[in-house]
Amino acid sequence: MYTLIGGPNNRTFRVLWMLEELGLPYKRQDAHPHDPLVREKSPLGKIPVLMVDDVPLTDSVAILTWLADSTGRMTAPAGSLARAQQDGLTQQIVDELEGQLWIATRHSFILPTERRVPEIKPTLAWEFARNCDVLASRMQGDFLMGDEMTVPDLLLAHCLNWAVAAKFEVPNEALQAYGARMRSREAYRRAVASEKELLAARQASESA
C-alpha cells in the first residue's frame, strides 16, 4: 500500500493516474504545498510525495519513473536505446511544455503581486504552441513511443490539461485527438473521480 500525499489540481494527478493505470493499491492524504506534513517529507515542501514503506519519494517525474522501473511497466528497459529516446521525450516535455506553463502559473497567482509580469504570458503561450508542434512530429503511433503508453504520455496529457486552465491554445490537431484519447481511458476517469472526491472532502472540512 502506497500513500500519496498531495491535493487536487496539481502534479499529484500524474502519480494518481499512474497508480490507477498500474492497478496498484494506494491511499490518499490531502495536503497543500509547504504544509508541515509535506515539509517533513520533502525538503522543498513540494507535492506530490509518495510514501513507499517509510521512504518518501519526491518530484512527480522521479516518482513516475520509479513506479515504471519497479514494476517493469509503462517504460522501455533501463539502458536500452528505446529508454534513452523515452527519457529524451520526458525531458522535452518538462523543458518545453511544462516550463512555459509553470512560468505562466507563477506569474498568475504564485509569485508576490509586485513580482508578477503578466505581460509575459502571451509570449509563453506562443512558445508553448510552437513546442507542441515539434513534439507532435515525434509521435510514433497512438502514444508517443508507439503502441504502448509510457511515462512521457502521462506528462504530456497532464500538460495538455494544464494548458486549458492556463488558457494556452493547443492548435495542433494531432495533439487535440491524442488528448481526447488519453482522457477517455478508464484509469484516467478513476483518477478524476478520486480528485473530485478529495476536493469535496476538503471543501466540506473547510466549511465545517
Side-chain angles (χ1 to χ4, degrees), residues 8 10 15 38 47 52 74 89 104 110 123 147-148 156 170 183 190 198 208:
N10 54 61
V15 179
V38 178
I47 53 176
V52 183
M74 298 181 67
L89 285 166
I110 294 178
T123 297
D147 296 330
E148 294 186 9
L156 175 55
V170 182
R183 289 188 291 272
R190 290 195 299 270
L198 189 67

Side-chain angles (χ1 to χ4, degrees), residues 9-112:
N9 302 323
N10 54 61
R11 294 182 182 95
T12 303
F13 183 80
R14 300 169 172 179
V15 179
L16 172 65
W17 183 8
M18 186 162 190
L19 289 168
E20 289 288 351
E21 289 284 352
L22 295 173
L24 297 175
Y26 67 90
K27 60 182 180 180
R28 297 199 65 178
Q29 192 162 1
D30 189 16
H32 292 281
H34 306 290
D35 279 356
L37 170 66
V38 178
R39 281 284 187 185
E40 178 186 340
K41 308 296 184 183
S42 171
L44 297 177
K46 294 183 177 183
I47 53 176
V49 176
L50 183 69
M51 297 299 300
V52 183
D53 297 326
D54 294 324
V55 179
L57 302 182
T58 60
D59 185 274
S60 63
V61 177
I63 296 170
L64 297 181
T65 301
W66 180 82
L67 286 170
D69 285 341
S70 64
T71 60
R73 297 169 59 191
M74 298 181 67
T75 184
S80 66
L81 289 175
R83 176 58 175 271
Q85 293 175 320
Q86 175 187 311
D87 290 345
L89 285 166
T90 294
Q91 293 304 315
Q92 182 177 350
I93 294 165
V94 171
D95 291 344
E96 299 192 3
L97 299 187
E98 181 179 78
Q100 316 310 317
L101 292 163
W102 179 231
I103 294 172
T105 300
R106 289 174 64 81
H107 284 277
S108 295
F109 58 85
I110 294 178
L111 292 172

Side-chain angles (χ1 to χ4, degrees), residues 105-187:
T105 300
R106 289 174 64 81
H107 284 277
S108 295
F109 58 85
I110 294 178
L111 292 172
T113 303
E114 68 275 11
R115 297 293 183 184
R116 298 174 193 169
V117 185
E119 294 81 6
I120 198 175
K121 290 191 282 187
T123 297
L124 294 171
W126 169 82
E127 189 171 5
F128 176 86
R130 182 191 64 174
N131 294 344
C132 279
D133 286 339
V134 175
L135 184 63
S137 70
R138 298 187 64 186
M139 290 187 67
Q140 301 178 32
D142 284 344
F143 302 103
L144 284 169
M145 294 288 295
D147 296 330
E148 294 186 9
M149 185 176 177
T150 56
V151 166
D153 287 300
L154 290 157
L155 301 174
L156 175 55
H158 182 256
C159 284
L160 294 177
N161 288 350
W162 190 348
V164 175
K167 296 181 172 58
F168 279 19
E169 291 188 9
V170 182
N172 188 283
E173 294 182 0
L175 286 190
Q176 291 175 10
Y178 167 89
R181 289 197 303 273
M182 297 298 281
R183 289 188 291 272
S184 71
R185 295 179 66 83
E186 288 299 323

